[in-house]
Amino acid sequence: MINEKKNSQQKTLSFYYQCTECGSEYEITPEIMVCPICSRKQKNYEPLRGILSVEIAGELPDEFEILDILPVEKKYFPDIPVGDTPLWEPKNIRDELGFTNLFLKDDTLNPTGSLKDRASYLVAGFVRKHNINNIAVASTGNAASSMAGVGASAGISVTIFVPKNAPQAKLIQSLQYGARVIPVDGNYDYAFDISLEYSRITGALSRNTAYNPLTIEGKKTVSLEIFKQLGKAPDFIFVPVGDGVILAGVYKGFLDLKKLGYITDIPIVYGVQSQGSSAICDYFHTGKFTKSYSAETIADSIC
Ligand SMILES: [Zn+2]
């Protein structure tokens, strides 16, 4: 028994980046965001090349917290209550739809009101670990206000590049948190490019969604929580989709649970897009990426 306990205490996880395109492996450091080999082949208007995923190796101790499955040690995370959101059992919706085992994961109860806090939380912990005190992000709204809020709690300076069509209410939220908001006369793609140039010049860590691998990694915690709350993985999961990073994060959480031996099957994941912002859905139907996409939907910030 004592030996078992001792062995359990010795179990640890380690983390590294792996290129989803060529398989090269890298240490997780602030200097790397995309695979240096594959990103050299990047062409304009092409989907991002050399996307890195966080891979895990080793074993979890018998008793663990969700933060133990993230590539930043617990001591670096800011003191703000991100995650641990409720899993509602909505009786009226269940009755109306006839799905008696329907649950709603309510991530609006995160500190700034969105699931994106999960990514901001991990990025904030990461920059604290590496003694960086400035984060840059291009955003149409939610990612900006999330990073601004979580960054404020962590004492980190946040600079936000917003396209001219960004919802004003979201910008006000970022300003209230004390972020520096820089309007860009162009679309999101242009704000993205400007923010990367700013990071290159100033050393600010980029929190650009999808570009920084930790944004998908942080969002996976929603799946780890659902697993803990249900005591198992659900059969099906429906995810609202904009650029697909939440979708990828949800999937990654269940993938890690499978790798760690907690589940045998990953739930069937459905991505749901607004008709006015359906780039990924369109790709599935046509097999082609649209070069320039103008999203228009009342569900702001998924544009
Ligand atoms: Zn690569």
Side-chain angles (χ1 to χ4, degrees), residues 17-96:
Y17 281 148
Q18 185 167 44
C19 175
T20 56
E21 199 169 331
C22 73
S24 297
E25 296 176 4
Y26 303 96
E27 188 184 344
I28 299 177
T29 65
E31 289 75 33
I32 185 164
M33 291 278 164
V34 289
C35 172
I37 301 164
C38 296
S39 63
R40 271 188 235 122
K41 304 171 202 161
Q42 181 78 50
K43 295 193 180 100
N44 277 347
Y45 298 116
E46 194 182 44
L48 188 63
R49 303 285 303 260
I51 291 174
L52 300 175
S53 69
V54 176
E55 297 298 319
I56 50 178
E59 281 184 87
L60 273 174
D62 296 336
E63 292 195 7
F64 65 91
E65 297 175 46
I66 283 173
L67 290 186
D68 295 334
I69 318 180
L70 290 174
V72 169
E73 294 79 2
K74 187 177 175 182
K75 63 183 176 182
Y76 296 110
F77 284 91
D79 186 19
I80 182 172
V82 172
D84 201 17
T85 55
L87 192 65
W88 299 114
E89 301 187 34
K91 182 179 179 307
N92 293 341
I93 299 175
R94 284 177 171 185
D95 290 347
E96 189 177 330

Coordinates of all heavy atoms in Angstrom, one line a residue, residues 17-96:
Y17 N 5.2 20.5 -27.7 CA 4.5 20.9 -28.9 C 4.8 19.8 -30.0 O 6.0 19.4 -30.1 CB 5.0 22.2 -29.4 CG 4.4 23.4 -28.8 CD1 5.1 24.6 -28.7 CD2 3.1 23.4 -28.3 CE1 4.6 25.7 -28.0 CE2 2.6 24.6 -27.7 CZ 3.3 25.7 -27.5 OH 2.8 26.8 -27.0
Q18 N 3.8 19.5 -30.8 CA 4.1 18.7 -31.9 C 3.4 19.3 -33.1 O 2.2 19.8 -33.0 CB 3.5 17.3 -31.7 CG 3.9 16.4 -32.9 CD 3.6 14.9 -32.6 OE1 2.6 14.5 -32.0 NE2 4.6 14.0 -33.0
C19 N 4.1 19.4 -34.3 CA 3.5 20.0 -35.5 C 2.4 19.1 -36.0 O 2.7 17.9 -36.2 CB 4.6 20.3 -36.5 SG 3.9 20.9 -38.1
T20 N 1.2 19.6 -36.3 CA 0.1 18.8 -36.8 C 0.3 18.4 -38.3 O -0.4 17.6 -38.8 CB -1.2 19.5 -36.6 OG1 -1.1 20.8 -37.3 CG2 -1.6 19.7 -35.2
E21 N 1.3 19.1 -38.9 CA 1.6 18.9 -40.3 C 2.7 17.9 -40.6 O 2.6 17.0 -41.3 CB 1.8 20.3 -41.0 CG 1.6 20.3 -42.4 CD 1.7 21.7 -43.0 OE1 1.3 22.7 -42.3 OE2 2.1 21.9 -44.1
C22 N 3.9 18.2 -39.9 CA 5.1 17.3 -40.2 C 5.5 16.4 -39.0 O 6.3 15.6 -39.2 CB 6.2 18.2 -40.6 SG 7.0 19.1 -39.3
G23 N 4.9 16.6 -37.9 CA 5.2 15.8 -36.7 C 6.4 16.2 -35.9 O 6.7 15.5 -34.9
S24 N 7.1 17.3 -36.3 CA 8.3 17.7 -35.5 C 7.8 18.1 -34.1 O 6.7 18.6 -33.9 CB 8.9 18.9 -36.2 OG 9.4 18.6 -37.4
E25 N 8.7 17.8 -33.1 CA 8.4 18.1 -31.7 C 9.3 19.3 -31.2 O 10.4 19.4 -31.6 CB 8.7 16.9 -30.9 CG 7.7 15.7 -31.3 CD 8.0 14.4 -30.5 OE1 8.9 14.4 -29.6 OE2 7.3 13.4 -30.8
Y26 N 8.7 20.1 -30.4 CA 9.4 21.3 -29.8 C 9.1 21.4 -28.4 O 8.0 21.1 -27.9 CB 8.9 22.5 -30.6 CG 9.1 22.5 -32.1 CD1 8.1 22.1 -32.9 CD2 10.3 22.8 -32.7 CE1 8.2 22.0 -34.3 CE2 10.5 22.7 -34.0 CZ 9.4 22.3 -34.8 OH 9.6 22.2 -36.2
E27 N 10.0 22.1 -27.7 CA 9.8 22.5 -26.3 C 8.7 23.6 -26.3 O 8.7 24.4 -27.2 CB 11.1 22.9 -25.7 CG 11.0 23.2 -24.2 CD 12.3 23.8 -23.6 OE1 13.4 23.7 -24.3 OE2 12.3 24.3 -22.5
I28 N 7.9 23.7 -25.3 CA 6.9 24.7 -25.2 C 7.6 26.0 -24.6 O 7.8 26.1 -23.4 CB 5.7 24.3 -24.3 CG1 5.0 23.1 -24.9 CG2 4.7 25.4 -24.1 CD1 3.9 22.5 -24.1
T29 N 7.9 26.9 -25.5 CA 8.5 28.2 -25.1 C 7.8 29.4 -25.7 O 7.1 29.2 -26.7 CB 10.0 28.2 -25.5 OG1 10.0 28.3 -27.0 CG2 10.8 27.1 -25.0
P30 N 7.9 30.6 -25.2 CA 7.2 31.7 -25.8 C 7.7 32.1 -27.2 O 7.0 32.7 -28.0 CB 7.6 32.9 -24.9 CG 8.1 32.3 -23.6 CD 8.7 30.9 -24.0
E31 N 8.9 31.6 -27.6 CA 9.5 31.9 -28.9 C 8.8 31.2 -30.0 O 9.0 31.6 -31.2 CB 11.0 31.6 -28.9 CG 11.8 32.5 -28.1 CD 11.7 32.3 -26.6 OE1 11.5 31.1 -26.2 OE2 11.7 33.2 -25.8
I32 N 8.1 30.1 -29.8 CA 7.5 29.3 -30.8 C 6.0 29.3 -30.8 O 5.4 29.1 -29.8 CB 8.1 27.9 -30.8 CG1 7.6 27.1 -32.0 CG2 7.8 27.2 -29.5 CD1 8.4 25.9 -32.3
M33 N 5.4 29.6 -31.9 CA 3.9 29.6 -32.1 C 3.5 28.6 -33.1 O 2.4 28.0 -33.0 CB 3.4 31.0 -32.4 CG 3.6 32.0 -31.3 SD 2.2 31.9 -30.1 CE 3.0 32.8 -28.8
V34 N 4.2 28.6 -34.3 CA 3.9 27.7 -35.3 C 5.2 26.9 -35.7 O 6.3 27.4 -35.4 CB 3.3 28.4 -36.6 CG1 1.9 28.8 -36.4 CG2 4.2 29.5 -37.0
C35 N 5.1 25.8 -36.4 CA 6.2 25.0 -36.7 C 7.1 25.8 -37.7 O 6.7 26.2 -38.7 CB 5.8 23.7 -37.4 SG 7.2 22.7 -38.1
P36 N 8.4 26.0 -37.3 CA 9.3 26.8 -38.1 C 9.5 26.2 -39.5 O 9.8 26.9 -40.5 CB 10.6 26.9 -37.3 CG 10.3 26.3 -36.0 CD 9.1 25.5 -36.1
I37 N 9.5 24.9 -39.6 CA 9.7 24.2 -40.9 C 8.5 24.5 -41.8 O 8.6 24.9 -42.9 CB 9.9 22.7 -40.7 CG1 11.1 22.5 -39.7 CG2 10.1 22.0 -42.0 CD1 11.1 21.1 -39.2
C38 N 7.3 24.2 -41.3 CA 6.1 24.2 -42.2 C 5.7 25.7 -42.4 O 5.1 26.0 -43.5 CB 5.0 23.5 -41.5 SG 5.3 21.7 -41.4
S39 N 5.9 26.6 -41.5 CA 5.4 28.0 -41.6 C 6.2 28.7 -42.8 O 5.7 29.7 -43.3 CB 5.5 28.8 -40.3 OG 6.9 28.9 -39.9
R40 N 7.4 28.2 -43.1 CA 8.2 28.8 -44.2 C 7.4 28.6 -45.5 O 7.6 29.3 -46.5 CB 9.6 28.1 -44.3 CG 10.6 28.8 -43.4 CD 12.0 28.3 -43.7 NE 12.6 27.9 -42.4 CZ 13.1 26.7 -42.2 NH1 13.0 25.7 -43.1 NH2 13.6 26.4 -41.0
K41 N 6.6 27.6 -45.6 CA 5.9 27.3 -46.8 C 4.5 28.1 -46.9 O 3.8 27.9 -47.9 CB 5.6 25.8 -46.9 CG 6.8 24.9 -46.8 CD 6.3 23.5 -46.7 CE 7.4 22.6 -46.1 NZ 6.8 21.3 -45.5
Q42 N 4.3 28.9 -45.9 CA 3.0 29.6 -45.8 C 2.8 30.6 -47.0 O 3.7 31.3 -47.4 CB 2.9 30.4 -44.5 CG 1.6 31.2 -44.3 CD 0.5 30.3 -43.9 OE1 0.6 29.5 -42.9 NE2 -0.7 30.4 -44.5
K43 N 1.6 30.5 -47.7 CA 1.3 31.4 -48.7 C 0.1 32.3 -48.3 O -0.7 31.9 -47.4 CB 0.9 30.6 -50.0 CG 2.0 29.8 -50.6 CD 1.6 29.4 -52.0 CE 2.7 28.5 -52.6 NZ 2.5 27.1 -52.6
N44 N 0.0 33.4 -48.9 CA -1.2 34.3 -48.6 C -2.5 33.6 -48.8 O -2.6 32.8 -49.8 CB -1.1 35.6 -49.4 CG -0.2 36.6 -48.8 OD1 0.2 36.5 -47.7 ND2 0.2 37.6 -49.6
Y45 N -3.5 33.9 -48.0 CA -4.8 33.3 -48.2 C -4.9 31.8 -48.1 O -5.8 31.2 -48.5 CB -5.5 33.8 -49.5 CG -5.6 35.3 -49.6 CD1 -4.9 36.0 -50.5 CD2 -6.4 36.0 -48.6 CE1 -5.0 37.4 -50.5 CE2 -6.5 37.4 -48.7 CZ -5.8 38.1 -49.6 OH -5.9 39.4 -49.7
E46 N -3.9 31.2 -47.5 CA -3.9 29.8 -47.3 C -4.1 29.6 -45.8 O -3.7 30.4 -45.0 CB -2.5 29.3 -47.7 CG -2.4 27.8 -47.8 CD -0.9 27.4 -48.1 OE1 0.0 28.0 -47.5 OE2 -0.7 26.6 -49.0
P47 N -4.8 28.5 -45.4 CA -5.0 28.2 -44.0 C -3.6 28.1 -43.3 O -2.6 27.7 -44.0 CB -5.7 26.9 -43.9 CG -6.4 26.8 -45.3 CD -5.5 27.5 -46.2
L48 N -3.6 28.5 -42.0 CA -2.3 28.6 -41.3 C -1.5 27.3 -41.4 O -2.1 26.2 -41.1 CB -2.6 28.9 -39.8 CG -1.4 29.2 -39.0 CD1 -0.7 30.5 -39.4 CD2 -1.8 29.4 -37.5
R49 N -0.3 27.4 -41.8 CA 0.6 26.2 -41.9 C 1.3 25.9 -40.6 O 1.7 26.8 -39.8 CB 1.6 26.3 -43.0 CG 1.1 26.7 -44.4 CD 0.5 25.4 -45.0 NE 1.4 24.3 -45.2 CZ 2.1 24.0 -46.3 NH1 1.9 24.8 -47.4 NH2 2.8 23.0 -46.4
G50 N 1.6 24.7 -40.3 CA 2.5 24.3 -39.1 C 1.8 24.6 -37.8 O 2.5 24.9 -36.8
I51 N 0.5 24.3 -37.7 CA -0.1 24.5 -36.4 C 0.4 23.5 -35.4 O 0.6 22.3 -35.7 CB -1.7 24.3 -36.6 CG1 -2.2 25.5 -37.4 CG2 -2.4 24.2 -35.2 CD1 -3.7 25.4 -37.7
L52 N 0.7 23.9 -34.2 CA 1.2 23.1 -33.2 C 0.1 22.6 -32.2 O -0.7 23.4 -31.9 CB 2.3 23.8 -32.4 CG 3.5 24.3 -33.2 CD1 4.5 25.1 -32.3 CD2 4.3 23.1 -33.8
S53 N 0.2 21.4 -31.7 CA -0.7 21.0 -30.7 C 0.2 20.6 -29.5 O 1.3 20.2 -29.6 CB -1.5 19.8 -31.1 OG -0.7 18.6 -31.3
V54 N -0.5 20.8 -28.3 CA 0.2 20.4 -27.1 C 0.0 18.9 -26.8 O -1.1 18.4 -26.8 CB -0.3 21.2 -25.9 CG1 0.3 20.7 -24.5 CG2 -0.1 22.7 -26.0
E55 N 1.1 18.2 -26.8 CA 1.0 16.7 -26.5 C 1.4 16.4 -25.1 O 2.2 17.1 -24.5 CB 1.9 16.0 -27.5 CG 1.5 16.2 -29.0 CD 0.1 15.6 -29.3 OE1 -0.3 14.5 -28.7 OE2 -0.7 16.3 -30.0
I56 N 0.9 15.3 -24.6 CA 1.2 14.9 -23.2 C 1.9 13.6 -23.2 O 1.6 12.7 -24.0 CB -0.1 14.9 -22.3 CG1 -1.2 14.0 -23.0 CG2 -0.6 16.2 -22.0 CD1 -2.4 13.9 -22.2
A57 N 2.8 13.4 -22.2 CA 3.4 12.2 -22.0 C 3.5 11.9 -20.5 O 3.4 12.8 -19.7 CB 4.9 12.2 -22.6
G58 N 3.5 10.6 -20.1 CA 3.6 10.2 -18.7 C 2.2 9.9 -18.2 O 1.3 9.6 -18.9
E59 N 2.1 9.9 -16.9 CA 0.9 9.5 -16.2 C 0.4 10.6 -15.2 O 1.3 11.2 -14.6 CB 1.1 8.2 -15.5 CG 1.1 7.0 -16.3 CD 1.2 5.7 -15.5 OE1 0.2 5.2 -15.0 OE2 2.4 5.3 -15.2
L60 N -0.9 10.6 -14.9 CA -1.4 11.5 -13.9 C -1.3 10.8 -12.6 O -1.5 9.6 -12.5 CB -2.8 11.8 -14.2 CG -3.1 13.0 -15.1 CD1 -4.6 13.1 -15.3 CD2 -2.7 14.3 -14.4
P61 N -1.1 11.5 -11.5 CA -1.2 10.9 -10.2 C -2.7 10.5 -9.9 O -3.6 10.9 -10.6 CB -0.8 12.0 -9.2 CG -0.9 13.2 -9.9 CD -0.7 12.9 -11.4
D62 N -2.9 9.6 -9.0 CA -4.3 9.1 -8.8 C -5.2 10.2 -8.4 O -6.4 10.2 -8.8 CB -4.3 8.0 -7.7 CG -3.5 6.8 -8.1 OD1 -3.3 6.6 -9.3 OD2 -3.0 6.1 -7.2
E63 N -4.8 11.1 -7.7 CA -5.6 12.3 -7.3 C -5.1 13.5 -8.1 O -3.9 13.9 -7.9 CB -5.6 12.5 -5.8 CG -6.4 11.4 -5.1 CD -6.7 11.7 -3.7 OE1 -6.5 12.9 -3.3 OE2 -7.2 10.8 -3.0
F64 N -5.9 14.1 -8.9 CA -5.4 15.2 -9.7 C -6.4 16.3 -9.8 O -7.6 16.0 -9.7 CB -4.9 14.7 -11.1 CG -6.0 14.2 -11.9 CD1 -6.7 15.0 -12.8 CD2 -6.4 12.9 -11.9 CE1 -7.7 14.6 -13.6 CE2 -7.4 12.4 -12.6 CZ -8.1 13.2 -13.5
E65 N -6.0 17.5 -10.2 CA -6.9 18.6 -10.5 C -6.8 18.8 -12.0 O -5.8 18.4 -12.7 CB -6.4 19.9 -9.8 CG -6.5 19.7 -8.3 CD -5.9 21.0 -7.6 OE1 -6.3 22.1 -8.1 OE2 -5.1 20.9 -6.7
I66 N -7.8 19.6 -12.5 CA -7.8 19.9 -13.9 C -6.5 20.6 -14.3 O -6.0 20.4 -15.4 CB -9.1 20.6 -14.3 CG1 -10.2 19.6 -14.4 CG2 -9.0 21.3 -15.6 CD1 -11.6 20.1 -14.5
L67 N -6.1 21.5 -13.5 CA -4.8 22.3 -13.8 C -3.6 21.4 -14.0 O -2.7 21.8 -14.7 CB -4.5 23.3 -12.7 CG -5.5 24.5 -12.6 CD1 -5.0 25.5 -11.6 CD2 -5.7 25.2 -14.0
D68 N -3.7 20.2 -13.4 CA -2.5 19.3 -13.6 C -2.4 18.8 -15.1 O -1.4 18.2 -15.5 CB -2.7 18.0 -12.7 CG -2.6 18.4 -11.2 OD1 -2.0 19.4 -10.9 OD2 -3.2 17.7 -10.4
I69 N -3.5 19.0 -15.9 CA -3.5 18.5 -17.3 C -3.2 19.7 -18.2 O -3.5 19.7 -19.4 CB -4.8 17.8 -17.6 CG1 -5.2 16.8 -16.5 CG2 -4.6 16.9 -18.9 CD1 -6.5 16.1 -16.7
L70 N -2.6 20.7 -17.7 CA -2.3 21.9 -18.5 C -0.8 22.1 -18.4 O -0.1 21.8 -17.4 CB -3.0 23.2 -18.0 CG -4.5 23.2 -18.3 CD1 -5.1 24.4 -17.6 CD2 -4.8 23.2 -19.7
P71 N -0.2 22.7 -19.5 CA 1.3 22.8 -19.5 C 1.9 24.0 -18.8 O 3.0 24.4 -19.2 CB 1.6 22.9 -21.1 CG 0.4 23.5 -21.6 CD -0.8 23.1 -20.7
V72 N 1.2 24.4 -17.8 CA 1.8 25.5 -16.9 C 1.5 25.1 -15.5 O 0.4 24.6 -15.2 CB 1.1 26.9 -17.2 CG1 1.5 27.9 -16.1 CG2 1.5 27.4 -18.6
E73 N 2.5 25.2 -14.6 CA 2.3 24.8 -13.2 C 1.3 25.7 -12.5 O 1.2 26.9 -12.8 CB 3.7 24.8 -12.5 CG 4.7 23.8 -13.0 CD 5.4 24.2 -14.3 OE1 5.1 25.4 -14.7 OE2 6.2 23.5 -14.8
K74 N 0.6 25.1 -11.6 CA -0.5 25.8 -10.9 C -0.1 27.1 -10.3 O -0.9 28.1 -10.3 CB -1.0 24.8 -9.8 CG -2.3 25.3 -9.1 CD -2.7 24.2 -8.1 CE -3.9 24.7 -7.3 NZ -4.3 23.7 -6.3
K75 N 1.1 27.2 -9.8 CA 1.5 28.4 -9.0 C 1.5 29.7 -9.9 O 1.5 30.8 -9.4 CB 2.9 28.2 -8.4 CG 4.0 27.9 -9.4 CD 5.3 27.7 -8.6 CE 6.4 27.3 -9.6 NZ 7.7 27.0 -9.0
Y76 N 1.6 29.5 -11.2 CA 1.7 30.7 -12.1 C 0.3 31.2 -12.5 O 0.2 32.3 -13.1 CB 2.5 30.3 -13.4 CG 3.9 29.9 -13.1 CD1 4.3 28.6 -13.2 CD2 4.8 30.9 -12.6 CE1 5.6 28.3 -13.0 CE2 6.1 30.5 -12.4 CZ 6.5 29.2 -12.5 OH 7.8 28.9 -12.3
F77 N -0.8 30.5 -12.3 CA -2.1 31.0 -12.7 C -2.6 32.1 -11.9 O -2.3 32.1 -10.7 CB -3.1 29.8 -12.7 CG -3.0 28.9 -13.8 CD1 -2.2 27.7 -13.7 CD2 -3.6 29.1 -15.0 CE1 -2.0 26.8 -14.7 CE2 -3.5 28.2 -16.1 CZ -2.7 27.1 -15.9
P78 N -3.2 33.1 -12.5 CA -3.7 34.3 -11.7 C -4.8 33.9 -10.8 O -5.5 32.9 -11.0 CB -4.2 35.3 -12.8 CG -4.4 34.5 -14.0 CD -3.5 33.3 -13.9
D79 N -5.1 34.7 -9.8 CA -6.1 34.4 -8.8 C -7.4 34.9 -9.3 O -7.9 36.0 -8.8 CB -5.7 35.1 -7.5 CG -6.6 34.7 -6.3 OD1 -7.3 33.7 -6.5 OD2 -6.6 35.5 -5.3
I80 N -8.0 34.2 -10.2 CA -9.3 34.6 -10.7 C -10.1 33.3 -11.0 O -9.5 32.4 -11.5 CB -9.2 35.5 -12.0 CG1 -10.5 36.0 -12.6 CG2 -8.3 34.8 -13.1 CD1 -10.4 37.0 -13.7
P81 N -11.4 33.3 -10.7 CA -12.1 32.0 -10.8 C -12.6 31.6 -12.2 O -13.7 31.8 -12.5 CB -13.2 32.2 -9.8 CG -13.5 33.6 -9.8 CD -12.2 34.3 -10.1
V82 N -11.7 31.2 -13.0 CA -12.0 30.7 -14.4 C -12.4 29.3 -14.3 O -11.8 28.5 -13.7 CB -10.9 31.0 -15.3 CG1 -11.1 30.4 -16.7 CG2 -10.6 32.5 -15.5
G83 N -13.5 28.9 -15.1 CA -13.9 27.5 -15.1 C -14.7 27.1 -14.0 O -15.3 28.0 -13.2
D84 N -14.9 25.8 -13.8 CA -15.8 25.3 -12.8 C -17.2 25.8 -12.9 O -17.8 26.2 -11.9 CB -15.2 25.6 -11.4 CG -15.8 24.6 -10.3 OD1 -16.3 23.6 -10.7 OD2 -15.7 24.9 -9.1
T85 N -17.6 25.9 -14.1 CA -19.0 26.5 -14.4 C -20.0 25.4 -14.3 O -19.7 24.2 -14.5 CB -19.0 27.1 -15.9 OG1 -18.6 26.1 -16.8 CG2 -18.1 28.3 -16.0
P86 N -21.3 25.8 -14.1 CA -22.3 24.8 -13.9 C -22.7 24.0 -15.2 O -22.6 24.5 -16.3 CB -23.5 25.6 -13.4 CG -23.3 27.0 -13.8 CD -21.8 27.2 -14.0
L87 N -23.2 22.8 -14.9 CA -23.7 22.0 -16.0 C -25.2 21.9 -15.7 O -25.7 21.1 -14.8 CB -23.1 20.6 -16.0 CG -23.4 19.7 -17.2 CD1 -22.8 20.3 -18.5 CD2 -22.8 18.3 -16.9
W88 N -26.0 22.7 -16.4 CA -27.5 22.8 -16.1 C -28.2 21.5 -16.6 O -27.8 21.0 -17.6 CB -28.1 24.0 -16.7 CG -27.6 25.3 -16.3 CD1 -26.9 26.2 -17.1 CD2 -27.7 26.0 -15.0 NE1 -26.6 27.3 -16.4 CE2 -27.0 27.2 -15.1 CE3 -28.2 25.6 -13.8 CZ2 -26.9 28.1 -14.0 CZ3 -28.1 26.4 -12.7 CH2 -27.5 27.7 -12.8
E89 N -29.3 21.2 -15.8 CA -30.2 20.2 -16.3 C -31.5 20.9 -16.6 O -32.4 21.0 -15.8 CB -30.4 19.1 -15.2 CG -29.1 18.5 -14.8 CD -29.3 17.3 -13.9 OE1 -30.3 16.6 -14.0 OE2 -28.4 17.1 -13.0
P90 N -31.6 21.4 -17.9 CA -32.8 22.3 -18.2 C -34.1 21.6 -18.4 O -34.3 21.1 -19.5 CB -32.3 23.0 -19.5 CG -31.4 22.0 -20.1 CD -30.8 21.1 -19.0
K91 N -34.9 21.5 -17.4 CA -36.1 20.7 -17.4 C -37.1 21.1 -18.6 O -37.5 20.2 -19.3 CB -36.9 20.8 -16.1 CG -38.1 19.9 -16.1 CD -38.8 20.0 -14.7 CE -40.1 19.1 -14.8 NZ -41.0 19.4 -15.9
N92 N -37.3 22.4 -18.7 CA -38.3 22.8 -19.8 C -37.8 22.5 -21.2 O -38.5 22.0 -22.0 CB -38.5 24.3 -19.6 CG -39.3 24.6 -18.4 OD1 -39.9 23.7 -17.7 ND2 -39.2 25.9 -17.9
I93 N -36.5 22.7 -21.4 CA -36.0 22.4 -22.7 C -36.0 20.9 -23.0 O -36.3 20.4 -24.1 CB -34.5 23.0 -22.9 CG1 -34.6 24.5 -22.7 CG2 -33.9 22.6 -24.2 CD1 -33.2 25.2 -22.8
R94 N -35.6 20.1 -21.9 CA -35.7 18.7 -22.1 C -37.1 18.2 -22.4 O -37.2 17.4 -23.3 CB -35.3 18.0 -20.7 CG -33.8 18.0 -20.4 CD -33.5 17.5 -19.1 NE -32.1 17.3 -18.8 CZ -31.6 16.7 -17.8 NH1 -32.4 16.2 -16.8 NH2 -30.3 16.6 -17.6
D95 N -38.1 18.8 -21.7 CA -39.5 18.3 -22.0 C -39.9 18.7 -23.4 O -40.5 17.9 -24.1 CB -40.4 19.0 -21.0 CG -40.2 18.4 -19.6 OD1 -39.6 17.4 -19.5 OD2 -40.7 19.1 -18.6
E96 N -39.5 19.9 -23.8 CA -39.9 20.4 -25.1 C -39.3 19.6 -26.2 O -39.9 19.3 -27.2 CB -39.6 21.9 -25.2 CG -40.1 22.5 -26.5 CD -39.8 24.0 -26.6 OE1 -39.7 24.7 -25.5 OE2 -39.7 24.5 -27.7

